[in-house]
Amino acid sequence: MIKKILVFFVSVFFVSTFTSSLSQAVDLKANEKAVSDEYKKLIPIDKIKNIEDLYKKWVDVQEGRSKALILDIRTEAEFDSGHILGSNNIDSGHAYGIPEKITDPNTEIWVFCRTKNRSIYFVANLYKYGYTNVFLVEGGIKEWAEKGYPLVSK
């Protein structure tokens, strides 16, 4: 009898722990979205651009009409598999290194990743650091490729 009661309580404990974990996962996803939305609010609306805007800027850079930095924040492996000619690569987790490399807070920087999720956090952090001329490119390399714009690989 004591064994049955013990098994019952252990079972209730595990079921309640498992159920609690499931509800936390749903909350975590919602919280991540809320945090992403908060970060996106740090980016001025006129600094949020699309792939066509990036393409025009890229042409200007290639033809020497702009000194903007085009920054691909995907991993090195992603970058090596296909990237925009002339773009610079820094992993999205390394935003902390930008102030050492780009010392002018007014530098024009265009940031993209695969779609836009990593870029939101990266660009928002650059604004928090004090940069004033950073552009978030929505659509990322995925949309760039879908449009048929040129890519190079290592």
Side-chain angles (χ1 to χ4, degrees):
M1 177 74 160
I2 293 176
K3 193 174 184 181
K4 287 182 180 182
I5 292 172
L6 184 59
V7 169
F8 172 76
F9 281 116
V10 169
S11 298
V12 168
F13 172 76
F14 282 117
V15 168
S16 65
T17 302
F18 180 73
T19 305
S20 175
S21 296
L22 287 178
S23 67
Q24 285 178 353
V26 172
D27 292 339
L28 292 175
K29 184 70 176 162
N31 289 343
E32 189 282 327
K33 170 107 173 72
V35 169
S36 178
D37 290 345
E38 285 300 313
Y39 269 69
K40 194 167 181 182
K41 289 178 187 175
L42 297 172
I43 304 166
I45 195 79
D46 64 320
K47 302 291 187 182
I48 299 174
K49 301 297 183 177
N50 61 36
I51 286 301
E52 290 79 15
D53 296 324
L54 176 60
Y55 179 77
K56 290 173 192 170
K57 180 55 64 176
W58 176 74
V59 169
D60 287 346
V61 168
Q62 294 301 304
E63 294 178 356
R65 292 189 301 267
S66 174
K67 293 185 182 218
L69 293 176
I70 298 176
L71 192 56
D72 183 333
I73 62 164
R74 296 175 302 142
T75 65
E76 185 178 355
E78 288 175 300
F79 183 81
D80 289 347
S81 70
H83 60 272
I84 299 170
L85 179 67
S87 63
N88 297 283
N89 178 236
I90 185 166
D91 190 288
S92 62
H94 295 238
Y96 62 85
I98 294 293
E100 293 175 11
K101 295 177 177 152
I102 304 171
T103 57
D104 180 359
N106 300 310
T107 301
E108 183 178 356
I109 307 169
W110 288 64
V111 179
F112 67 94
C113 58
R114 190 179 81 78
T115 55
K116 74 174 178 189
N117 297 318
R118 289 175 275 186
S119 295
I120 291 171
Y121 290 99
F122 195 94
V123 170
N125 278 323
L126 293 185
Y127 275 102
K128 283 182 167 190
Y129 296 165
Y131 289 92
T132 60
N133 200 18
V134 183
F135 295 84
L136 166 70
V137 180
E138 295 187 320
I141 200 77
K142 183 174 182 266
E143 192 172 321
W144 178 277
E146 288 170 358
K147 297 273 185 193
Y149 296 148
L151 290 171
V152 295
S153 58
K154 210 169 193 184

